[in-house]
Every structure is written in structure tokens, then in C-alpha cells.
Amino acid sequence: MDANYLMRTVFSGLSALVVEDVTDGGDAVVLTARTRDVAVPCPVCGIPTAKVHGYHRRSLADVPVDGRPVVVRLRVRRLVCPVLGCRRQTFREQIPGLLERHQRRTVRLAWQISQVARELCGRAAARLGGLLAIPVSRSTTLRHLRRLPLPRQAVPRVIGVDDFALRRRHRYATIITDAETGRRVAVLPDREAATLESWLSEHAGIEVVCRDGSATYAEAVRRALPNAVQVSDRWHLWRNLCDKVQLEVRAHAGCWATINPPRPGGVREQTTRERWNKVHDLLGQGVGLLDCSRRLGVALNTVKRYARMPEPQALRIAPAYRPTLVDPYRDHLRRRRAEEPAVPVTHPLEEIRELGYTGSANLLVRYLNQGRAEGDRPVTTPRHASRLLLTDPENLRPKETTLLEEIAAACPEMTALAGLVHGFAALLKPAEGNDVKLTEWIATARAGALPHLHSFTSGLEIDRAAVDAGLTLPYHNGRTEGVNTRTKRIMRQMHGRAGFDLLRHRILLP
């Protein structure tokens, strides 16, 4: 094969040089090269010159070849400026696109290190570099990462604002994104109103701000951008409704819990009934809530919850069983035990083994002791009932649809709750007129005996303008939440070893 063709193929990135020799240095491939004999402009006056004053030797690393590092022994010229009186009488020539001043790595090798550090940060990037025949320390990878320039782009018309935890329950920061494209715009060191207000005041042209229900962000936007439209994120509206619906379902568990198969109560059910009786006995004697809390040694909120219960609830926990080898023979076991309740376990064991059972006797004993052969379905919990109410009916299985109908028909309040949930879900698809429909929905919710939904409607009224915009405009904070998910991955890579400046730099890199 032609040697020149091999040089152009393997070392195409060094085409600006004249490669004189390639030798095997054992652990590395060593290239001897020099610059071309062409005129170079003076860095001060710009007059080209080819007059040589002297030569210098530089050693630089290039991208690896055949799993080995490449070392370039380069001879560069020191040239003389032809202009008398120029501030730079002599200067060392540079190779644009190949080598930068004061660097010992080619531009393309530095770019590769920067991209690896961009994805993995310091320690992991250094370990991967060693496997790729690019020996580099974690400090060097971080320096290359910091050299990556941040994009300079105009502030968008529609922005999304959200917070994320630097240290959960202690320190938080604010992320600002382009709500239409998901591009990261800025990262603020806290979530205070003054910080966001200062940033918004310095960036004109923002017309729409998407946010969650934070009153702090709402106040900052009102002060800095009084004419901007604030949009409440629909996901957060739905999440707040879900929390209130679960509380309502739990409060009416005495109504819909009767649809469950009768099962003996457990320790938790017995404790709940005893505590309910104690709380109501004390309240009947005229003892206050705080005094009840002190006498019984329970939290005040727990006493308030029991005080609101008209009767002790059967808070049953649905068992979470894994599939076992006994499941295919469940019907046979149920029929056999119904015919002869006192049948020894060895008899059905032999029978199902003849049918193909390959498990152990202990597995069958545990299966029968857990009651899995007798129960038609697991006990429905408030969380499960809430999920059925909050799930799109088209995504429910037939047996779940039947259970939902039974739960919704358990009492008038549950029927009204199911209708209100479906009505609010229909409003989450932005359309004109949803603000009028929301007014009707709030009136209907307040007319019912659903106190937890009353508090939800009060929250909607407090932030009504932003809620109306969220239900009628197509903007949302979904892309900002996606950026927060990516930020969590970055923070896990950094393991808390880096500061806010480096985190901000990684978040804003495109």
C-alpha cells in the first residue's frame, strides 16, 4: 500500500503538517513532523512573512491509533516580522485548527476529552480515557469541561420555571428553560423571589411564564413582568387533585369497603378501632384535641383524623403476592377444600402433583395459610380505589371497570366524586371555553359534601388567572420537568463533589 495514502488515511487530522517519520515507541506511536514552509501573518500587524529566526520543538498528543497513544514531535518555526517598529519582532507560528497556544494536545484530542467529560464528568471520564488510550487525570478533564463555551442565545418568548433540590429539604436552585423547545436558559442558585425577579428584570421580551403552584415564583413574575401571562402547569393541577381525591376516598372507606370479600381484621384494623374509641371517648368528655394528643401519646394530626371519622374505618392492606407454581391449581384447591374443609394438606398435594405440579410441599402450605386459595380478589385499599377513579376508563381492564362501578355507587359522595374527577380530567385538554367550564366545575364541587375538594377549589381560586391560562393555552412545564430529570442524573454522576458553578455549566451545555 502507498505510504502517502496510509498517512492521509490514518493521520488525516495532521494534514497541515509534514510528517517525516513514524516510529514504534513501544507504548506509543511516535510521529516526527514539521510545519510547512509557507508565509505566516504576524499576529500583531498581520503582514505575512516566511523569514526564519529559529526553530523550536514541541511535543503534543494526538488521538490514539490501534489502542495506543500518538505522540507528535513537532518542529515549529520562529519567524521575523518584516515591519520595522512592530511590537512583535519575532513570533512563533501557530497551526490553526490543529494546535492552540500553550497546549500539549491537538484540538481534536482536546475535543474528544471535552465530550467525554461532558457526559461523565471527572473521575468516570478519567477512567474511560485510560481504557481508550487517552491517559488524563480527573482535574484535566474538568478543565477541558469548563473550557466548553456556553451557547449565547436570545431569551425566548415563553419560558418555564421550576426548582430542583441541591440538597433535599435544605438547598434548592431554580432552572429556567425555553418552554417551547426545552433549551436550558439559566440556572439560579436558589429559589427565592428576589433572585428570580432580578433575573427577569434583566431579560426583556418574555411574554409567557409556565410554572407550578409556587406562590414565590408567582410573586416574582408579577413584580418583574406585570404584563406577562402566567400559566399554571396542568400536571401539577392534576397531581393536587389526585392527593385530594385519595383523602376523600379514605374518608369514605366505610362506604365502599363493604364491596370487599369478608376477611378477618388484622392487627392494624384492631388498633385503628381501639384508637378511634379512645379519641371519641375523650372528645365526648369535653377534652380538647391537643389534650387528647398528649394523653394518648399520638400526633395531633392523627387525633384530628380520628375525630373527623364518623366511625372506625377498616384500613385493610392489599397483600402483594408474587406468582407461584401453585397458581394454575388454585381452582382445584378451592373446590377440594370446599368439599372437605378438614382435608390433610398431603392429599391435595398428591392430587396436584398428578396434574403436573412441580413445587414443594412448603410452598403449597404457605399458599394455603395465606388464604390465596379462598379469596376471589385482593382487598381493595384506598390507594387502589383512588387509582381506579383517576385512571382513564379506556385504560381499565373489564374486572377493574366492574370494581370501579361498585366503588362509585357505594354512596352519593363517591358517585359525585367520580363525576367530578372525570369532569376535571376533560378540562386538562387545552381549549377555548375551559375557563367557563372550570367555574361550573368549582360550583358543582363546592355544592357537594366533599371537604377535601373544597380546599382544592380554594387553591384554584387563589391562582385562578394562571389556572385559566393553563387550561386554555397550549403551554406547559413538561420540558422543564424533563430538564430536572436530566439534572438529577448529572448530580448523581458528580456525587456531591463539585460546586454549583460546575453543575450550572453542565446543565447549560447544549
Side-chain angles (χ1 to χ4, degrees), residues 190-448:
D190 55 48
R191 58 176 180 180
E192 301 297 329
T195 306
L196 179 60
E197 180 184 353
S198 175
W199 187 91
L200 293 174
S201 302
E202 298 173 357
H203 297 80
I206 299 175
E207 301 177 6
V208 181
V209 179
C210 301
R211 57 169 177 81
D212 55 14
S214 171
T216 301
Y217 289 157
E219 183 63 23
V221 176
R222 276 194 294 268
R223 292 177 181 176
L225 304 172
N227 297 325
V229 177
Q230 298 191 43
V231 178
S232 184
D233 187 54
R234 293 184 290 277
W235 184 88
H236 289 89
L237 295 177
W238 180 251
R239 175 58 186 271
N240 294 339
L241 177 67
C242 293
D243 295 338
K244 300 302 181 182
V245 167
Q246 186 169 353
L247 293 176
E248 291 290 356
V249 171
R250 186 181 294 274
H252 292 84
C255 302
W256 55 263
T258 56
I259 66 175
N260 291 321
R263 291 193 180 183
V267 176
R268 182 178 179 183
E269 236 179 287
Q270 183 179 358
T271 303
T272 299
R273 184 174 297 276
E274 293 176 356
R275 187 171 292 174
W276 183 89
N277 291 329
K278 292 179 181 178
V279 170
H280 280 264
D281 288 344
L282 291 176
L283 293 177
Q285 300 172 13
V287 180
L289 294 175
L290 185 58
D291 198 7
C292 285
S293 172
R294 292 170 177 170
R295 293 188 184 188
L296 299 178
V298 297
L300 178 60
N301 287 338
T302 303
V303 175
K304 291 180 179 179
R305 187 172 70 250
Y306 282 106
R308 288 194 297 264
M309 293 181 184
E311 59 182 15
Q313 299 175 3
L315 300 178
R316 302 171 181 171
I317 302 177
Y321 296 127
R322 295 180 180 179
T324 67
L325 297 175
V326 189
D327 290 337
Y329 313 98
R330 180 169 175 266
D331 295 336
H332 176 81
L333 293 172
R334 178 189 301 179
R335 183 174 59 255
R336 188 73 173 85
R337 289 167 66 87
E339 295 172 354
E340 189 179 353
V343 61
V345 70
T346 55
H347 294 180
L349 175 61
E350 295 176 358
E351 294 171 3
I352 62 175
R353 278 181 174 172
E354 294 177 358
L355 296 176
Y357 175 65
T358 58
S360 64
N362 289 336
L363 181 60
L364 176 60
V365 171
R366 288 198 304 270
Y367 193 90
L368 296 175
N369 290 340
Q370 291 168 352
R372 298 178 64 179
E374 288 78 9
D376 292 331
R377 60 172 179 259
V379 176
T380 304
T381 63
R383 184 184 294 273
H384 185 205
S386 303
R387 185 187 68 81
L388 295 177
L389 284 172
L390 296 165
T391 302
D392 188 347
E394 297 181 355
N395 297 331
L396 293 177
R397 294 175 292 179
K399 63 178 183 180
E400 292 177 333
T401 303
T402 304
L403 179 59
L404 174 59
E405 293 174 353
E406 296 177 356
I407 292 175
C411 64
E413 289 79 8
M414 292 299 298
T415 304
L417 180 62
L420 289 170
V421 168
H422 294 158
F424 193 84
L427 297 177
L428 294 179
K429 185 176 181 181
E432 294 183 3
N434 277 355
D435 50 348
V436 178
K437 295 179 182 179
L438 179 62
T439 302
E440 300 172 356
W441 186 89
I442 291 176
T444 305
R446 288 180 172 176

Side-chain angles (χ1 to χ4, degrees), residues 113 115-132 134 136-138 141-142:
I113 296 175
Q115 296 306 310
V116 173
R118 174 184 173 182
E119 297 297 331
L120 302 177
C121 209
R123 296 177 183 269
R127 290 194 295 267
L128 181 59
L131 297 176
L132 298 178
I134 306 176
V136 64
S137 68
R138 65 176 187 271
T141 59
L142 292 180

Side-chain angles (χ1 to χ4, degrees), residues 39-72:
V40 177
C42 174
V44 176
C45 62
I47 303 300
T49 178
K51 185 177 180 180
V52 179
H53 180 271
Y55 296 96
H56 295 273
R57 292 285 180 179
R58 298 187 65 176
S59 178
L60 59 142
D62 194 24
V63 294
V65 172
D66 193 26
R68 290 189 295 173
V70 174
V71 180
V72 181

Side-chain angles (χ1 to χ4, degrees), residues 82-101:
V83 179
L84 297 177
C86 180
R87 290 186 290 113
R88 296 288 298 272
Q89 297 182 0
T90 63
F91 61 92
R92 185 181 298 181
E93 64 176 333
Q94 304 298 325
I95 305 96
L98 178 64
L99 184 62
E100 296 180 352
R101 294 178 62 87

